[in-house]
Amino acid sequence: MQHETVIVLDFGGQYNQLIARRVRENNVYCEIYSYKTDLSVIKAKNPKGIIFTGGPNSVYLEDSPTIDPEIFNWGVPVLGICYGSQLMMHLLGGHVCRAPEREYGKTEVFVDTQSKLFTDVQPSTICWMSHFDYISKPAPGFNIVAHTADCPVAAAENREKNLYAIQFHPEVLHTEEGSKMLHNFVRGVCGCAGTWRMDSFVESTIKDIREKVGDGKVLLALSGGVDSSVAAGLLSRAIGK
Protein backbone atom coordinates (compact mmCIF):
# COMPACT_ATOMS: atom_id res chain seq x y z
CA MET A 1 0.00 0.00 0.00
CA GLN A 2 1.45 3.34 -1.06
CA HIS A 3 1.31 6.23 1.38
CA GLU A 4 3.33 9.28 2.37
CA THR A 5 6.14 8.20 4.67
CA VAL A 6 8.37 9.98 7.17
CA ILE A 7 11.49 8.09 8.27
CA VAL A 8 12.91 8.36 11.79
CA LEU A 9 16.64 7.54 11.84
CA ASP A 10 17.66 6.36 15.31
CA PHE A 11 21.06 7.43 16.64
CA GLY A 12 20.61 5.76 20.02
CA GLY A 13 18.11 8.17 21.52
CA GLN A 14 15.56 7.17 24.14
CA TYR A 15 12.67 8.92 22.40
CA ASN A 16 12.75 7.27 18.95
CA GLN A 17 9.37 5.58 19.42
CA LEU A 18 7.86 8.75 20.83
CA ILE A 19 9.00 10.78 17.81
CA ALA A 20 7.37 8.25 15.50
CA ARG A 21 4.19 8.39 17.56
CA ARG A 22 4.07 12.18 17.27
CA VAL A 23 4.45 11.92 13.49
CA ARG A 24 1.59 9.41 13.33
CA GLU A 25 -0.57 11.72 15.43
CA ASN A 26 -0.37 14.04 12.42
CA ASN A 27 -1.95 11.26 10.35
CA VAL A 28 1.33 10.54 8.55
CA TYR A 29 2.82 7.04 8.24
CA CYS A 30 6.20 6.67 9.95
CA GLU A 31 8.90 4.00 10.19
CA ILE A 32 12.00 3.82 12.40
CA TYR A 33 15.40 2.67 11.11
CA SER A 34 18.86 2.48 12.65
CA TYR A 35 21.43 4.97 11.43
CA LYS A 36 23.38 1.89 10.27
CA THR A 37 20.74 1.10 7.65
CA ASP A 38 22.06 1.31 4.09
CA LEU A 39 20.96 4.59 2.55
CA SER A 40 19.63 2.77 -0.49
CA VAL A 41 16.99 1.17 1.75
CA ILE A 42 15.95 4.57 3.09
CA LYS A 43 15.89 6.17 -0.35
CA ALA A 44 13.78 3.33 -1.74
CA LYS A 45 11.08 4.28 0.76
CA ASN A 46 10.73 7.59 -1.10
CA PRO A 47 10.33 9.49 2.19
CA LYS A 48 8.58 12.85 2.35
CA GLY A 49 10.78 13.74 5.31
CA ILE A 50 13.51 12.36 7.57
CA ILE A 51 14.01 12.95 11.30
CA PHE A 52 17.31 12.32 13.11
CA THR A 53 16.82 11.34 16.76
CA GLY A 54 18.87 12.33 19.76
CA GLY A 55 21.56 10.14 21.27
CA PRO A 56 24.06 9.96 24.16
CA ASN A 57 27.26 10.46 22.14
CA SER A 58 29.40 13.44 21.10
CA VAL A 59 29.49 13.96 17.34
CA TYR A 60 33.14 15.04 17.32
CA LEU A 61 34.42 11.70 18.67
CA GLU A 62 35.61 9.12 16.12
CA ASP A 63 33.42 6.22 17.25
CA SER A 64 30.17 8.21 17.46
CA PRO A 65 27.17 7.31 15.27
CA THR A 66 27.21 9.11 11.94
CA ILE A 67 25.72 8.96 8.45
CA ASP A 68 26.72 9.64 4.85
CA PRO A 69 26.22 13.40 4.21
CA GLU A 70 24.81 12.42 0.81
CA ILE A 71 21.44 12.19 2.54
CA PHE A 72 21.33 16.00 2.67
CA ASN A 73 21.52 16.19 -1.13
CA TRP A 74 18.35 14.20 -1.80
CA GLY A 75 16.10 17.22 -1.67
CA VAL A 76 14.16 15.56 1.17
CA PRO A 77 13.47 17.73 4.25
CA VAL A 78 15.53 16.68 7.28
CA LEU A 79 14.91 17.59 10.92
CA GLY A 80 17.71 16.91 13.39
CA ILE A 81 16.77 16.70 17.08
CA CYS A 82 19.37 17.14 19.85
CA TYR A 83 22.25 14.79 18.82
CA GLY A 84 20.68 14.73 15.37
CA SER A 85 20.94 18.51 15.14
CA GLN A 86 24.57 18.47 16.25
CA LEU A 87 25.39 15.74 13.73
CA MET A 88 23.81 17.74 10.91
CA MET A 89 25.87 20.80 11.81
CA HIS A 90 29.05 18.76 12.27
CA LEU A 91 28.75 17.01 8.90
CA LEU A 92 27.88 20.19 7.01
CA GLY A 93 30.72 22.34 8.35
CA GLY A 94 29.43 23.81 11.59
CA HIS A 95 31.13 23.54 14.97
CA VAL A 96 29.99 21.43 17.92
CA CYS A 97 31.81 21.40 21.24
CA ARG A 98 31.39 20.90 24.98
CA ALA A 99 28.99 23.51 26.33
CA PRO A 100 30.21 25.85 29.09
CA GLU A 101 26.91 25.25 30.86
CA ARG A 102 24.89 22.05 30.61
CA GLU A 103 21.20 22.60 29.91
CA TYR A 104 18.76 20.12 31.41
CA GLY A 105 15.05 20.47 31.99
CA LYS A 106 12.46 23.05 31.08
CA THR A 107 14.15 26.00 29.42
CA GLU A 108 12.91 29.28 27.97
CA VAL A 109 13.66 29.33 24.24
CA PHE A 110 13.41 32.43 22.08
CA VAL A 111 12.34 31.53 18.53
CA ASP A 112 12.10 33.34 15.21
CA THR A 113 8.44 33.00 14.30
CA GLN A 114 9.30 33.70 10.64
CA SER A 115 10.79 30.20 10.47
CA LYS A 116 8.44 27.59 8.99
CA LEU A 117 9.27 25.41 11.96
CA PHE A 118 7.91 27.97 14.41
CA THR A 119 4.75 29.12 12.64
CA ASP A 120 2.12 30.02 15.28
CA VAL A 121 4.62 29.34 18.08
CA GLN A 122 5.06 31.97 20.80
CA PRO A 123 8.29 34.04 20.48
CA SER A 124 9.21 32.85 23.98
CA THR A 125 8.33 29.21 24.62
CA ILE A 126 9.25 26.49 27.12
CA CYS A 127 11.20 23.53 25.71
CA TRP A 128 12.90 20.46 27.17
CA MET A 129 16.69 20.58 26.98
CA SER A 130 19.09 17.74 27.72
CA HIS A 131 22.63 18.22 26.43
CA PHE A 132 26.29 18.56 27.44
CA ASP A 133 27.47 19.58 23.95
CA TYR A 134 26.12 22.45 21.90
CA ILE A 135 26.36 24.04 18.48
CA SER A 136 28.72 26.97 18.86
CA LYS A 137 28.64 27.84 15.15
CA PRO A 138 26.02 26.78 12.58
CA ALA A 139 27.05 25.25 9.25
CA PRO A 140 27.41 27.53 6.20
CA GLY A 141 24.04 28.36 4.67
CA PHE A 142 22.20 28.01 7.99
CA ASN A 143 20.54 30.81 9.92
CA ILE A 144 20.01 30.75 13.67
CA VAL A 145 16.27 30.74 14.39
CA ALA A 146 16.23 30.04 18.15
CA HIS A 147 18.45 30.59 21.17
CA THR A 148 18.43 30.41 24.96
CA ALA A 149 20.34 32.25 27.66
CA ASP A 150 23.09 29.59 27.54
CA CYS A 151 22.69 28.10 24.05
CA PRO A 152 23.49 30.39 21.10
CA VAL A 153 22.08 27.93 18.52
CA ALA A 154 18.96 26.30 19.94
CA ALA A 155 17.71 25.95 16.35
CA ALA A 156 19.09 26.62 12.88
CA GLU A 157 17.67 26.27 9.40
CA ASN A 158 18.71 26.17 5.77
CA ARG A 159 15.35 27.05 4.27
CA GLU A 160 16.57 26.64 0.69
CA LYS A 161 17.49 22.99 1.32
CA ASN A 162 14.73 22.32 3.90
CA LEU A 163 17.23 21.33 6.58
CA TYR A 164 16.35 22.05 10.20
CA ALA A 165 18.31 21.48 13.41
CA ILE A 166 16.86 21.89 16.91
CA GLN A 167 18.76 21.36 20.14
CA PHE A 168 15.69 20.62 22.29
CA HIS A 169 13.13 17.79 22.25
CA PRO A 170 9.79 18.73 20.60
CA GLU A 171 8.41 15.21 21.02
CA VAL A 172 8.10 15.33 24.83
CA LEU A 173 5.19 16.94 26.63
CA HIS A 174 7.55 19.21 28.59
CA THR A 175 8.09 21.15 25.36
CA GLU A 176 4.86 23.10 25.53
CA GLU A 177 4.49 23.76 21.79
CA GLY A 178 6.43 20.75 20.55
CA SER A 179 3.45 19.12 18.86
CA LYS A 180 2.89 22.30 16.90
CA MET A 181 6.54 22.35 15.81
CA LEU A 182 6.43 18.75 14.61
CA HIS A 183 3.17 19.48 12.82
CA ASN A 184 4.88 22.42 11.12
CA PHE A 185 7.68 20.15 9.93
CA VAL A 186 5.64 17.12 8.87
CA ARG A 187 2.67 18.90 7.35
CA GLY A 188 4.21 22.26 6.49
CA VAL A 189 7.84 21.72 5.47
CA CYS A 190 7.43 18.14 4.20
CA GLY A 191 4.05 18.87 2.64
CA CYS A 192 2.36 15.70 3.91
CA ALA A 193 -1.39 15.68 3.37
CA GLY A 194 -2.17 13.84 6.61
CA THR A 195 -4.55 11.30 5.11
CA TRP A 196 -3.09 8.16 6.74
CA ARG A 197 -5.00 6.44 9.54
CA MET A 198 -3.94 3.69 11.94
CA ASP A 199 -7.08 1.67 11.19
CA SER A 200 -6.15 1.61 7.50
CA PHE A 201 -2.71 0.31 8.50
CA VAL A 202 -4.32 -2.54 10.45
CA GLU A 203 -6.56 -3.42 7.51
CA SER A 204 -3.69 -3.43 5.02
CA THR A 205 -1.49 -5.48 7.38
CA ILE A 206 -4.19 -8.13 7.84
CA LYS A 207 -4.58 -8.30 4.06
CA ASP A 208 -0.80 -8.70 3.61
CA ILE A 209 -0.68 -11.49 6.22
CA ARG A 210 -3.47 -13.42 4.51
CA GLU A 211 -1.73 -13.13 1.16
CA LYS A 212 1.63 -14.28 2.55
CA VAL A 213 0.28 -17.18 4.62
CA GLY A 214 -2.27 -18.50 2.16
CA ASP A 215 -3.10 -22.09 3.18
CA GLY A 216 0.06 -22.40 5.28
CA LYS A 217 0.59 -22.33 9.03
CA VAL A 218 2.31 -19.79 11.28
CA LEU A 219 4.55 -20.36 14.30
CA LEU A 220 4.47 -17.35 16.63
CA ALA A 221 6.97 -16.84 19.47
CA LEU A 222 4.88 -14.92 22.01
CA SER A 223 6.82 -13.30 24.86
CA GLY A 224 3.95 -11.27 26.25
CA GLY A 225 5.64 -8.01 25.33
CA VAL A 226 3.98 -5.32 23.23
CA ASP A 227 5.51 -6.24 19.85
CA SER A 228 4.76 -9.97 19.89
CA SER A 229 1.33 -9.40 21.45
CA VAL A 230 0.37 -6.99 18.66
CA ALA A 231 1.70 -9.50 16.11
CA ALA A 232 -0.44 -12.20 17.75
CA GLY A 233 -3.51 -9.99 17.64
CA LEU A 234 -3.03 -9.20 13.96
CA LEU A 235 -2.41 -12.87 13.11
CA SER A 236 -5.54 -13.90 15.01
CA ARG A 237 -7.64 -11.41 13.06
CA ALA A 238 -6.02 -12.41 9.78
CA ILE A 239 -5.96 -16.21 9.90
CA GLY A 240 -7.58 -17.34 13.18
CA LYS A 241 -6.03 -20.13 15.23
Side-chain angles (χ1 to χ4, degrees), residues 153-172:
V153 188
E157 68 176 18
N158 184 325
R159 185 173 294 194
E160 181 182 353
K161 293 186 176 181
N162 279 329
L163 303 178
Y164 294 83
I166 53 177
Q167 181 60 71
F168 51 87
H169 289 275
E171 69 275 17
V172 301

Side-chain angles (χ1 to χ4, degrees), residues 103-233:
E103 285 187 315
Y104 183 80
K106 294 182 178 180
T107 306
E108 185 177 22
V109 179
F110 304 95
V111 307
D112 179 355
T113 56
Q114 296 301 307
S115 168
K116 289 183 179 181
L117 206 59
F118 301 126
T119 300
D120 296 328
V121 173
Q122 294 298 313
S124 171
T125 186
I126 298 300
C127 301
W128 184 261
M129 290 282 193
S130 178
H131 63 100
F132 285 103
D133 296 329
Y134 78 156
I135 302 163
S136 60
K137 181 181 178 183
F142 282 79
N143 295 317
I144 299 172
V145 290
H147 69 278
T148 73
D150 296 311
C151 185
V153 188
E157 68 176 18
N158 184 325
R159 185 173 294 194
E160 181 182 353
K161 293 186 176 181
N162 279 329
L163 303 178
Y164 294 83
I166 53 177
Q167 181 60 71
F168 51 87
H169 289 275
E171 69 275 17
V172 301
L173 294 177
H174 298 307
T175 297
E176 294 179 354
E177 298 182 89
S179 294
K180 192 179 294 182
M181 297 171 193
L182 287 172
H183 179 276
N184 288 340
F185 177 72
V186 172
R187 302 285 290 273
V189 175
C190 299
C192 293
T195 55
W196 178 81
R197 297 289 185 276
M198 179 57 78
D199 53 1
S200 64
F201 169 75
V202 172
E203 291 169 3
S204 64
T205 302
I206 289 173
K207 181 181 177 182
D208 289 344
I209 291 171
R210 286 173 177 163
E211 290 177 352
K212 290 178 181 177
V213 174
D215 296 327
K217 295 183 178 181
V218 175
L219 175 63
L220 171 69
L222 179 59
S223 69
V226 173
D227 291 341
S228 61
S229 296
V230 170

